[in-house]
Amino acid sequence: MPETPLSPAETDQLWLAETIALSRRCPVSTTAFAVGAVVVAGDGTVLATGHSREGDPHDHAEEAALAKIASGDPRLASATVYSSLEPCTRRASRPRSCTELIIAAGVPRVVFAWREPDLFVDCTGAETLRDAGVEVVEHPGLAPAAREVNAHLFTR
């Protein structure tokens, strides 16, 4: 008997669960969120993964993942960036935000679990991406799992 294909929402939740698992790999920081990201091509192929502070203390997850994909890769035109946290719009440590990097890469869809709290900066990632024509999907049912990885930031 053939397996029933996953719905788009189920597929999104599967990839978001992977981003939350990736966020658990992040070195602990008291000044930044632990975030995981996966870039998936339209055909379901994983193009890259990343997590905060993966190669540098200032790396963001989406930034780390997108840096592993050649600029202009045609698969980006049908890709989705999955992130455990809403992509940033402001950064103190780098000149380009994750939303700018996503838009510049030509990624048409972003899915995230947890809207960024105003703990470090005021983030308008979802709105900025939508204004640029990117489809944005939020799955707030997975937000508690993404927040739990960052619980130490809220107990100071």
Side-chain angles (χ1 to χ4, degrees):
M1 185 157 147
E3 230 180 272
T4 305
L6 296 176
S7 71
E10 290 169 326
T11 300
D12 287 350
Q13 290 175 8
L14 178 77
W15 288 118
L16 286 175
E18 178 63 22
T19 69
I20 293 166
L22 285 166
S23 72
R24 295 182 194 289
R25 296 184 188 177
C26 299
V28 176
S29 171
T30 58
T31 60
F33 292 105
V35 181
V38 180
V39 182
V40 180
D43 66 1
T45 303
V46 174
L47 300 178
T49 64
H51 61 274
S52 302
R53 299 173 293 287
E54 181 175 333
D56 178 279
H58 301 292
D59 283 346
H60 283 199
E62 302 91 337
E63 172 187 37
L66 288 169
K68 296 173 187 172
I69 305 167
S71 177
D73 186 319
R75 298 173 296 175
L76 288 168
S78 66
T80 298
V81 171
Y82 291 94
S83 181
S84 58
L85 183 71
E86 176 183 21
C88 71
T89 49
R90 292 186 41 213
R91 296 194 59 177
S93 61
R94 299 272 166 88
R96 297 181 80 194
S97 68
C98 291
T99 54
E100 289 176 279
L101 295 171
I102 290 165
I103 293 164
V107 175
R109 186 168 186 262
V110 172
V111 179
F112 66 90
W114 184 29
R115 192 167 286 260
E116 184 171 339
D118 294 335
L119 187 61
F120 302 116
V121 296
D122 182 24
C123 181
T124 58
E127 293 80 7
T128 300
L129 290 166
R130 282 189 187 108
D131 288 349
V134 176
E135 177 188 356
V136 178
V137 180
E138 182 178 358
H139 283 276
L142 293 173
R147 187 184 191 287
E148 183 272 325
V149 177
N150 292 281
H152 66 283
L153 296 172
F154 299 96
T155 58
R156 312 188 255 162

